[in-house]
Amino acid sequence: MVNPSLLIAVPLAFAFSIPLFGLVSKKIGKYIPVVALLINVGISFILIPQILKKPAVVSIGGWSPPFCINLVVGPLGVFLVTLISSIGLLVAIYAISYIKEEPTEKYHMLFLLLITGATGIVLTGDIFNLFVFFEILCISSYALVAYNKDKEGTEAAMKYLIQGSVGSSFVLIGIALLYGMFGTLNMADIASRVTSADPTFLFISLAFLITGFGIEAAVFPLNAWLPDAHSSAPSSISAILSGIAIKTGVYGVARMIYTIFNADGILTFIAFLGLLTLLIGEMSAFRQNDIKRLLAYSSIGQIGLIVFALGIATSLGVFAGLFQIVSHALAKALLFLAAGYMIYRVGSKSIDSLSGLGRKMPLTSFAFTIGSFSLIGLPPFAGFISKFSIVYAAIQVKKPIFLVFVVIALIATVIEAGYFFKVVQNLYFKEGKNVDNVTETSGYIIVPMIILVISIIVIGIHPQFITGLLKGAAGELLGRTGYIGWVLGGS
Amino acid sequence: MRRIVSIIILIIIAVGFIFAFSKIPFGKDKINVANYYIKKGIKQTGAVNIVTSVVLNYRGFDTLGEVTVLFIAAVGLGAVLFVERKIQKNMDDKEDKTKRASLILRTGSRLLFPLILLFGAYIFVHGHLTPGGGFQGGAIIASGFLLMYLAFPKQRINKKTSGLAESLSGLIFVGIGLLGLVFSGYFLTNFLPKGIPNTLFSAGIIPIIYIAIGFKVGFELTGIIDDLLERSR
C-alpha cells in the first residue's frame, strides 16, 4: 500500500524545492504545484479502494499511538484528500497563466503549502498536529489574500489575519484544556476518555474549539472576514479559499462534535446556526453588485447549508452534507475561475460590466452558467442531488422544527436562484457596452473549467460514482467507537 | 454600547476559563504519555534532552509543521512586501538618510558577530544534549545578523544564497523523513544508530535535523529582518 504520509511529504518537499528549481529556470516554478498535486491526486485515487476495505492508521516516527503522531486515513479523510488535491490541481493549472504579478515563485510556494495544510488537517489523528496544519493553512491564506498588494487586498488580509488569529488562539486554548484534563493529544485517546470528565468542563472546551474552527468555517456570527478576503484575493485563491479552506473549518467542527466530544445535545443548535448562516449569506449576496463579493456571500450561504445538513445527524443528513461539500467545491471553484477571467478581460468587477459576455466569451460564460445552475440545485447537475438529499434528510427526521427549517432553506434557495439568474441574464441577454475587444480564454485557463463542468454534469447524472465513498465517510463521522477502535486497537 | 457588549463577552469567556481550569487536577500523576516519554525517552531515542526527544522524535511531525509555519511567514512577508526592482533603484539613487552607526557599535559588532554565530551553532549542534535546539540556535544566529544590520545598515545579505540555504535545509528535513519511510516503513523514523547517550554523535537523526532547522530558522529570521529593512527605506 502507498504510505499516506506521502500525501503530506510530497507537496511539502516540492514547495521547499521551488527556489532550487528557480536556479535552473525561472519558468519551472509555476509547473511545480501541478506536478506535486498530480502525484497527490494519483495517490489518493489509489488509496480510495484500499481505505474503503480497511481504514489505515499510519504512525509517524514508528511508535504506537498515542505516543507518537499518527495519521488516521478513514473514508472521510481519503474523500476530503481526494477533493482537496483534485480542486488544488485544477486551480494550479489555471494559475500557470493567470498569475502574472511578481513574485510568482512565492505565490506558487504559498499555494502549495496551503494545500499541504488542508491535506494535513483532514488526515491527522492528533489534535495538536491538527492545530499546526490549521496554522499552515491559515497563515498561507493570509499572505495570499494580500498577494495583489492593492489597498483592498491588504485591508482584507489584515481583517482576516486578526480574526483568524483569534480563532487559532481559541482552538489552542481548547486543546490546552483538553491536554490538561486528559494528558494526551491523540484524538481517539481523548475521545475514549471524555465520558470521565465533568460535563461543564467539556462544554467549555468544546465551545472554545467550535468558535475557533467556526471562524475559519465562517459560520454566522463569525463570518465578518470572509466577503472581503474572498473577493479581494486573486481569483485562483478565492476559488481555493471558497472551495477548500472553509470546508476544513467545517471538518474541524464536525470532527470535534461527532468524534471527540460525542455532543449530540448541541446538534440542533448547530443546525439552527447553519440555517441562520444560510439565510444571511443568501440575503446579503442578493444585494451585491460586485461579482466576486456576490460569490463570496453565496459561499457563506452554502457553508450554512452544509453545517445545517451535518447538524441533522442522521446518516442520510451527514451524507447529504458531505455531498453538498463536493458539489459546492466544484461549482464555486468553477464560478470563481470563470468570473476571475471575465474580470481580467473586462477590467471591472461589477456585474453590469459583464453584460454581453455570453457572445464574446461563450465557453467561459457557459462554464459560469453551469456552475451557478448547479449551485442553485437545478437538475441534472451535482447540486440538485445534494440539495435534494438535504431536504429529504431533514424531512425524514420527523421533528416539527426541522420542517420549519426546510421551509426556510427552500426560501433561501429561491433567493439564491434570484441573484444567479440575474447574473446569467446579464451575460446572455443584455447588450454589452465596452466588450468589443474581449476575446475568449485559451490554453491553461480553459482546461480546468472544462474539467469542472464535466465533473459537475457527470456527478449529477451518475451520483453512484461517489456515493459509496460518501456513505463510508458519513459512517466514520457517526461511528466514533469505530474510529477509536482503529487507532487504539481492540474494543 | 459596543464597549459594554465586548466587556460582557470578555467576562463570559473569563468565567468559562476560570471554571474550566479549576476542574483540571493539576499536579496529579495522570499523564500516561508524559510518563512514557520520561521513562523510555533516552533508551528509545538516544537523546538525553527529553524535550528534544519529544520534539524531534515522538512528535517530529509537529516540528516539521512548525518549521513550515515559519517558512510560510517568511515567504509570505517577502511576497507582501515585494517591491519591483525599478522602484528600488530609484530609492538607491536618492540620498540615503540612514545615519552611520557609532564607532563603538561598529567595532563591537564586528568583534561579537563571529562569536554569536559560533554560540548559535553550538546551541543547535548540542540540541540533543543540552537545553536548546534548532529554533533557539537559529534565533541566536539571526540576532547576530540583526546586530550587523544595525551597525552597517547599507550592507545586505545575499538574498539568493540565503533563500537557497532555506530551501535546502527544509528539503533535508523532509528528505530524512522520507529516508525513514524507505528504511523502516514510517515517515520520520530514527533509522540511524542511536549511539552512546551523552556523546555528541548520538541520537541518530536528531542532530542532523536540528542542524538543518538551525540553518533554516537562522536564514528565515534574517530574511524577515532584511525584508522589513528594505521596505522601511
Side-chain angles (χ1 to χ4, degrees), chain A residues 31-245:
Chain A
Y31 299 104
I32 300 291
V34 179
V35 175
L37 292 172
L38 206 58
I39 297 175
N40 261 18
V41 171
I43 297 177
S44 26
F45 274 107
I46 295 172
L47 280 176
I48 291 176
Q50 297 172 345
I51 296 295
L52 280 181
K53 258 183 238 149
K54 189 179 176 298
V57 176
V58 184
S59 143
I60 301 225
W63 319 106
S64 62
F67 302 112
C68 70
I69 292 173
N70 60 302
L71 303 181
V72 181
V73 194
L76 181 64
V78 82
F79 151 61
L80 287 170
V81 161
T82 315
L83 186 71
I84 290 168
S85 1
S86 316
I87 302 280
L89 174 66
L90 294 175
V91 175
I93 297 173
Y94 180 87
I96 291 176
S97 49
Y98 179 75
I99 294 295
K100 294 197 175 70
E101 189 164 333
E102 289 295 322
T104 52
E105 199 176 64
K106 292 199 161 73
Y107 168 90
H108 293 294
M109 274 193 262
L110 290 170
F111 172 78
L112 200 46
L113 290 169
L114 194 159
I115 302 288
T116 315
T119 311
I121 290 173
V122 299
L123 286 186
T124 185
D126 185 283
I127 197 167
F128 187 77
N129 199 234
L130 178 75
F131 172 75
V132 171
F133 281 112
F134 194 63
E135 284 290 275
I136 292 181
L137 172 87
C138 290
I139 297 178
S140 39
S141 39
Y142 305 148
L144 284 169
V145 166
Y147 185 77
N148 279 343
K149 295 180 275 288
D150 49 0
K151 191 168 166 257
E152 198 190 349
T154 316
E155 192 189 319
M158 201 63 205
K159 251 189 206 170
Y160 184 16
L161 172 74
I162 291 169
Q163 298 185 23
S165 322
V166 172
S168 305
S169 329
F170 272 43
V171 172
L172 193 58
I173 292 171
I175 293 172
L177 288 174
L178 287 181
Y179 183 68
M181 197 62 169
F182 302 114
T184 175
L185 289 167
N186 187 291
M187 296 210 280
D189 204 13
I190 297 174
S192 69
R193 292 166 196 236
V194 279
T195 39
S196 68
D198 179 88
T200 327
F201 171 85
L202 288 178
F203 175 75
I204 293 170
S205 27
L206 179 64
F208 273 114
L209 287 165
I210 289 188
T211 318
F213 287 119
I215 289 182
E216 182 61 25
V219 178
F220 180 80
L222 309 167
N223 54 7
W225 60 271
L226 187 140
D228 289 344
H230 286 208
S231 64
S232 47
S235 290
S236 49
I237 295 307
S238 312
I240 280 295
L241 289 180
S242 269
I244 301 296

Side-chain angles (χ1 to χ4, degrees), chain A residues 3 26 75 94 141 170 181 212 236 287 371 398 413 432 469 474:
Chain A
N3 195 311
K26 279 280 166 208
Y94 180 87
S141 39
F170 272 43
M181 197 62 169
S236 49
R287 291 170 32 214
K398 297 210 171 68
T413 300
L469 184 57

Side-chain angles (χ1 to χ4, degrees), chain A residues 3 16 61 67 126 129 180, chain B residues 30 37 57 59 62 167 181 187:
Chain A
N3 195 311
F16 284 147
F67 302 112
D126 185 283
N129 199 234
Chain B
K30 63 185 161 49
Y37 293 153
N57 210 305
R59 303 191 63 86
D62 272 348
S167 335
L181 192 62
F187 189 65

